Every structure is written in structure tokens, then in C-alpha cells.
Amino acid sequence: MKLNQDKETLDQIAPLVEYAFLKNNDIREDPNFLSRYNHSMSFGEYKDGHLASYIMVNKFKSMIFAKKVKMGGVGYVASYTENRGQGDINRLMKEIMLELHDQNYAISNLAPFSETFYRRYGYENAIYEKMYQIQPAYLRFFKPVQEGKVVRGRWSDSSLKNAVIKLYQAKLNQDDQRNTVVRAEWWWDRLDTYYPGRSICVYFDKKQQPQGYMFYRIVERNFRVEEMYYQTPQAAKALLSIIASHSSSDLKYYVKMPEESLLREFFPEQEGITVKILPYMMTRIINVKQVLEALLLVNNKKLTIEITNDDIIAENNGVWLIDNADEPRVREVETDPDYTASLTNWTKVLLGHLTLKQAVQLGFVKENHPVNTDFVKGDVSFYDYF
């Protein structure tokens, strides 16, 4: 059931979340928890008058190319030990999917504890990250910048904060993101308190314009770049020079980047760089029509796709026509589809990194009538955990 957002309900949510996530503090006094709670919907199941299971759904907006859509961020999935296996989470997840559909959400994202578990509810891997591990000796190629400057500080520095937000928004405005969170001010501030001790570096060019930024922390002898974005090669090299200025054989160096990142190409020698592609977030398409309306087709071709096996949101099933030359551009039709797949397998193509051709070759999508087109892929350039 959907819960009230009041003190009495929070008093029941708090001990459950503290128990399930091994928190030693009163989360009712925790600004990190409360900032999310105050921008969320709560769902739960009661047993004998006590809250036994709970799920938080945060209210976000995300960019799918040029379209801003509503995105539900699922987190804090919790049950008391004695209540597990009773079907509460199963009922709540289905209720949440229907509630999000009723409220006109397009998608939902979550960080899974089990990909198989969340696939039951229509989620599929869609967001991957590229993790670089750099041996200290390979940082020697990056020297302090001679043109422009790098400014280091904290989020409390308004000039750095404004520069970072400007760069982030500029990337969203390029209309090339396929599932990237539009960060509200409260979310930016929460990211700062959630990751204590983070430093910010911003590279300004000779015209004093920000061209790149980096968030990093040194935790247990690990130098971790948790977000890096640059608009020019000079900005990338400038940020790498800051990492190099911390060079020490006692540290391990990690840089988290978008899956499409080519950061490795800036290194004249690459043998000492290990690169891993890791699954990060799963996505659930809540409203197929909204998602298809946001996507772009290569060569502006016409395409019909059949979506099957959405056992929760029946409105998503059917044959959908995408036609850039007609209005409405996306509509449900009764015709033989060019391609057929389940909702989760379509998610790999529509919001994931697989091309239509790859999905056919892998057996995820059935090709009924070959069409010389595909969906423009876009990028996921920034990562948000919830």
C-alpha cells in the first residue's frame, strides 16, 4: 500500500531501514536520508499494526535525448527477517509499477542486489560504467597545465558549484543522453553530503570558461575519481594532471567514466591501464509510448516493433509504429511487426547499449521483416546511485 508521508509513518520506517541496512544512527536525524525521503513516495506492508516491509521511490526527471521524462528511482527495499518470503516485496513492486504508470512516469531505475530478482518486474541492465585502474607510473605523462588553470575546492565554493552545474547542464542540452538524471539542486547538495570528503577540480580555459570537472576522494589508500566530465582534450589532460600530482606508489588509482569513454587514448603507453565494463543500473520501461516518442531512428526510417511479456503493465504490450514522417509519430497499430521481443529484451535496445542488429544476432529480438534502420544509441554520461 502507498504510505502517508507523516511523522507516525516515518517513526515506523526508521527502525526497519536501520535494521535492514545496518545503520547505527537514527535516520530521522540523518539529512542524507531525509533529503531523499522528502522527495519520494513510500510503499509498505503492515503486519499486526507494524510496518514489516518498505520501498522508497524517489521522484526524478531524466533526459532521453531531447525529451525530459519522469523517472522513479527505486531504493531502500527492506523487510524484517521474520517477514521475508511472505510475498510483500513482490506485491509492493507490482503496485509501484502500476502507480508509476498511473502518474505518467516513463521509466524507473534502480541499483539491483540481484539482476535476476528485479527482472521479474520488467527491469533490465541498461546502464554500464567503465572503470579504469591506472598504475602510478603511467601518470607521469601528465604535467601541470600551461594554459588555463585548474581550481580545486569543495562544493561549498559557489563558483565551483556553478561551474560544475553549468557543464552538466550543457551536456544534457546536447540532446544525446538516453537515460541521464536531471539533477535538482537538492540532489546536487545531497551528493556532496553522501560522499564525505570529496574534492572538486574544475578546469577553466584561458577565457575563464569551465571546460571540465572532476570529483575525487582518497579512501583507504585508494584514489577514486567518482565523476569526470570534459568538453575538450585540454580539459581531460588538465584533470589527469591533477591525478598525477597525487602520484604515489602507495596509492591505487581508479577513474569511473561513462561506458563510451575514450580516456585511455590520452595515455601514450597503455599497458599499465586496466579497463572493466561493469553493470551499474537496471531500467524498467513504465510507458513504452513515451520512451519511443523520445528515441530517434537512423536514416529516419519507419519501423514497427512488437512488445510482449509485460505481465504488469498490459498497456505496453502490442505492435508500435514509429514513423518520423507522420503524426502522431508513435502509435499502436494492428499489423505484422518488423521485430518482436519481450519488454526486457527491448530495454536492452531502446535504453541499453545493444544495437537492433546485435540483439537479433544474440537471439533477444526476433526479426520478422528486415529493415535497414536502428535506434540512435545516445550516451549515459553521468551516474546517480539511489
Side-chain angles (χ1 to χ4, degrees):
M1 61 181 291
K2 191 173 182 181
L3 305 179
N4 295 326
Q5 296 283 103
D6 54 29
K7 181 181 182 302
E8 291 74 18
T9 306
L10 182 57
D11 286 344
Q12 294 229 28
I13 291 172
L16 173 52
V17 169
E18 290 161 13
Y19 172 82
F21 294 93
L22 305 177
K23 293 182 179 291
N24 297 317
N25 60 307
D26 184 349
I27 62 171
R28 293 169 296 183
E29 305 296 328
D30 182 350
N32 285 324
F33 178 83
L34 291 176
S35 63
R36 279 189 61 182
Y37 178 75
N38 292 333
H39 295 86
S40 73
M41 296 179 283
S42 295
F43 296 81
E45 291 272 348
Y46 286 88
K47 297 291 170 63
D48 299 324
H50 297 283
L51 189 67
S53 298
Y54 170 70
I55 301 177
M56 176 188 287
V57 182
N58 282 111
K59 305 172 185 178
F60 292 112
K61 291 185 178 177
S62 289
M63 295 302 300
I64 303 180
F65 292 95
K67 188 171 183 179
K68 186 185 294 185
V69 301
K70 295 170 72 175
M71 185 273 284
V74 172
Y76 285 115
V77 180
S79 289
Y80 283 115
T81 303
E82 62 273 17
N83 194 58
R84 292 171 187 168
Q86 303 300 309
D88 286 8
I89 299 302
N90 182 61
R91 288 188 293 272
L92 289 174
M93 287 299 298
K94 291 178 178 179
E95 180 184 354
I96 288 167
M97 298 303 101
L98 294 172
E99 176 74 18
L100 291 177
H101 187 266
D102 288 346
Q103 293 197 28
N104 207 35
Y105 279 73
I107 55 176
S108 172
N109 290 340
L110 57 77
F113 74 88
S114 166
E115 295 159 42
T116 301
F117 177 82
Y118 285 109
R119 206 168 275 124
R120 302 178 195 172
Y121 308 107
Y123 288 87
E124 187 51 81
N125 288 321
I127 301 176
Y128 293 77
E129 66 180 14
K130 183 176 285 187
M131 182 63 73
Y132 295 87
Q133 182 174 356
I134 306 169
Q135 293 183 16
Y138 287 74
L139 293 169
R140 69 184 185 276
F141 301 109
F142 302 99
K143 307 301 181 184
V145 295
Q146 301 300 312
E147 185 176 279
K149 63 179 179 179
V150 178
V151 180
R152 187 182 63 84
R154 301 287 185 180
W155 191 246
S156 55
D157 185 328
S158 60
S159 62
L160 294 182
K161 176 178 178 178
N162 292 337
V164 168
I165 293 175
K166 179 180 179 180
L167 286 166
Y168 189 96
Q169 191 59 47
K171 182 59 177 172
L172 295 188
N173 291 343
Q174 291 178 14
D175 297 339
D176 61 357
Q177 299 299 288
R178 70 171 183 261
N179 185 356
T180 299
V181 175
V182 179
R183 292 177 180 167
E185 186 171 357
W186 74 269
W187 185 249
W188 276 111
D189 291 340
R190 182 190 180 278
L191 290 176
D192 181 57
T193 56
Y194 186 75
Y195 298 102
R198 285 214 300 191
S199 293
I200 308 173
C201 289
V202 177
Y203 170 70
F204 295 88
D205 64 17
K206 62 183 181 181
K207 297 181 180 179
Q208 301 300 309
Q209 294 300 307
Q211 297 292 334
Y213 72 84
M214 176 174 74
F215 291 109
Y216 72 90
R217 292 189 295 168
I218 301 175
V219 182
E220 296 180 351
R221 309 306 298 167
N222 293 320
F223 188 104
R224 294 191 175 275
V225 176
E226 295 167 332
E227 184 165 305
M228 179 191 287
Y229 172 65
Y230 51 86
Q231 293 184 328
T232 64
Q234 179 63 22
K237 294 174 184 178
L239 296 173
L240 287 167
S241 75
I242 296 300
I243 304 175
S245 70
H246 292 80
S247 181
S248 167
S249 59
D250 294 333
L251 293 177
K252 292 182 178 180
Y253 295 85
Y254 300 91
V255 180
K256 183 168 74 170
M257 294 291 291
E259 184 182 6
E260 296 79 13
S261 164
L262 298 176
L263 187 71
R264 187 175 187 170
E265 300 303 317
F266 289 110
F267 289 77
E269 295 183 21
Q270 300 182 9
E271 186 178 357
I273 303 171
T274 302
V275 182
K276 294 181 179 180
I277 304 294
L278 304 170
Y280 190 69
M281 281 274 175
M282 299 184 82
T283 296
R284 209 287 187 193
I285 295 177
I286 302 295
N287 188 308
V288 163
K289 187 172 186 292
Q290 279 196 54
V291 171
L292 292 177
E293 287 172 340
L295 297 177
L296 306 173
L297 287 176
V298 176
N299 300 326
N300 292 321
K301 295 286 186 178
K302 184 190 301 184
L303 186 66
T304 55
I305 68 171
E306 182 180 24
I307 295 175
T308 66
N309 298 99
D310 191 339
D311 298 327
I312 301 175
I313 305 173
E315 292 90 337
N316 287 333
N317 295 317
V319 179
W320 297 89
L321 169 67
I322 307 105
D323 185 356
N324 289 346
D326 199 5
E327 289 294 337
R329 182 176 167 272
V330 175
R331 60 186 182 275
E332 196 169 5
V333 295
E334 294 184 6
T335 187
D336 291 333
D338 299 317
Y339 297 89
T340 299
S342 66
L343 178 80
T344 51
N345 282 338
W346 273 120
T347 302
K348 299 172 186 287
V349 176
L350 303 179
L351 294 174
H353 58 195
L354 292 185
T355 65
L356 184 54
K357 182 179 179 179
Q358 289 171 333
V360 170
Q361 291 173 336
L362 290 167
F364 295 135
V365 174
K366 180 183 177 182
E367 184 176 65
N368 304 312
H369 312 117
V371 178
N372 185 27
T373 191
D374 205 334
F375 293 94
V376 176
K377 295 315 302 175
D379 302 330
V380 181
S381 300
F382 308 97
Y383 299 96
D384 290 75
Y385 179 83
F386 34 83

